[in-house]
Amino acid sequence: MDRVDYFSTSDQALSLIEGRYQRFKFQRHYHLDYHFGLILEGQQRFVYQGSRYLAGPGDLVLMPPDELHDGHSFSESGYRSQVFALEPSWLINQLDAHSSTCLSFTHPLIRDPQVFSHLCQAHHALRQGNLSQLAQDCLPYETFGPLIDRYSHEKSSEPKHLGSQTLATLRDYLMAHLSESIHLWQLANMCSLSPTQFQRHFKATFGLTPYAWLTRLRLEQAMKLLKAGVLGTDVAHQVGFYDQAHFSKAFKQCFGVSPSQIR
């Protein structure tokens, strides 16, 4: 049975599609946006620029805007896919290629387990809609950065390391606002960088994303508060976790014990 669901995200430039196709066939058509398709089950056959392709589980289909193509199931059992639809200007900004009007890729069909896994996780997280603000801000770059760096024709410039004083300033700011919603643009402005540049330079310096770093700071502070005898429910709110279950899960993943086991 054919079924297609469309999802919006907090960023209007990025939308999601999830579909199971059995009898439905895409006739020759084109998109205004980039479409990145993840084949989860079955096989999809499509024609692109005069060549025939067969995509199966674990394959990533890259379809640029304005390129004619079709698509249908290879067998009667059908196929299941998840798709990211991204506005061209948004994707180009992720590369910091402001002089370009279009971003092209080396091949329309890619098999890369790491990239595929990142995209699957991001598609799921974005559909859930329960991410913190900084996680929402960082997720698109973290998701599409490796894909762009590995397979696009244009390569982004080498990231630069942030200075120790800059890191100290960022840490002091985050520690003073652990219980608040943090936006990526706030941190980027402190370094006089665009959000995309900040993420690239930060990860090159620290080896973590800004969101992962903030999460670790929150959990380290939570450990100190628990050791000082503060109740776990109060600790969760003081360090910016608004859901007790989420806090307990993150804490145990980080330290190997639950908050209730800290004395």
Side-chain angles (χ1 to χ4, degrees):
M1 179 179 292
D2 297 316
R3 175 175 176 174
V4 185
D5 295 306
Y6 293 84
F7 305 88
S8 299
T9 71
S10 59
D11 192 331
Q12 293 183 350
L14 170 63
S15 59
L16 309 171
I17 306 168
E18 184 169 27
R20 180 180 291 276
Y21 305 95
Q22 191 169 3
R23 296 183 177 180
F24 182 79
K25 295 183 178 181
F26 291 96
Q27 302 301 319
R28 282 168 58 82
H29 66 287
Y30 67 90
H31 308 287
L32 298 178
D33 301 330
Y34 286 92
H35 276 215
F36 296 161
L38 305 164
I39 306 300
L40 304 178
E41 298 174 8
Q43 293 177 300
Q44 181 198 41
R45 183 178 290 283
F46 65 94
V47 176
Y48 171 73
Q49 293 186 343
S51 297
R52 293 181 179 275
Y53 297 91
L54 183 63
D59 286 337
L60 171 62
V61 179
L62 306 178
M63 202 56 62
D66 301 322
E67 290 284 356
L68 284 172
H69 61 284
D70 62 8
H72 60 88
S73 177
F74 178 68
S75 67
E76 293 183 358
S77 60
Y79 68 96
R80 186 164 71 93
S81 67
Q82 294 177 338
V83 177
F84 294 88
L86 307 104
E87 293 183 1
S89 59
W90 182 92
L91 188 61
I92 290 169
N93 285 338
Q94 299 306 302
L95 185 66
D96 281 336
H98 302 291
S99 61
S100 299
T101 57
C102 187
L103 180 66
S104 58
F105 293 87
T106 56
H107 200 270
L109 190 58
I110 291 173
R111 176 171 286 270
D112 185 321
Q114 184 180 38
V115 170
F116 188 89
S117 177
H118 284 168
L119 290 169
C120 284
Q121 292 173 20
H123 202 282
H124 176 77
L126 288 167
R127 292 198 315 275
Q128 299 307 304
N130 57 357
L131 297 171
S132 71
Q133 184 59 58
L134 189 58
Q136 291 180 46
D137 293 343
C138 292
L139 186 62
Y141 173 79
E142 280 302 302
T143 300
F144 298 105
L147 173 64
I148 291 171
D149 287 340
R150 295 182 191 183
Y151 300 107
S152 70
H153 286 307
E154 293 196 44
K155 304 301 179 184
S156 53
S157 58
E158 289 297 319
K160 300 177 182 178
H161 288 267
L162 300 176
S164 57
Q165 184 58 51
T166 299
L167 290 176
T169 300
L170 289 170
R171 182 178 58 194
D172 290 345
Y173 176 82
L174 292 176
M175 291 299 293
H177 299 83
L178 283 182
S179 64
E180 302 174 19
S181 179
I182 305 294
H183 289 262
L184 181 63
W185 63 263
Q186 294 173 301
L187 305 181
N189 283 350
M190 294 172 65
C191 302
S192 300
L193 295 169
S194 72
T196 300
Q197 291 171 333
F198 172 73
Q199 290 180 90
R200 295 180 63 244
H201 298 334
F202 186 94
K203 191 169 185 180
T205 304
F206 225 87
L208 297 172
T209 66
Y211 171 66
W213 195 49
L214 171 60
T215 300
R216 185 71 194 198
L217 289 177
R218 282 174 164 161
L219 292 171
E220 291 287 343
Q221 181 64 12
M223 176 63 85
K224 291 183 179 180
L225 292 173
L226 289 169
K227 288 180 176 179
V230 182
L231 292 176
T233 52
D234 293 333
V235 170
H237 289 289
Q238 288 185 37
V239 298
F241 285 88
Y242 301 106
D243 179 270
Q244 183 66 31
H246 183 206
F247 167 63
S248 297
K249 181 179 179 180
F251 191 92
K252 190 167 185 177
Q253 287 178 337
C254 181
F255 297 111
V257 295
S258 65
S260 61
Q261 294 177 278
I262 303 300
R263 295 290 183 268

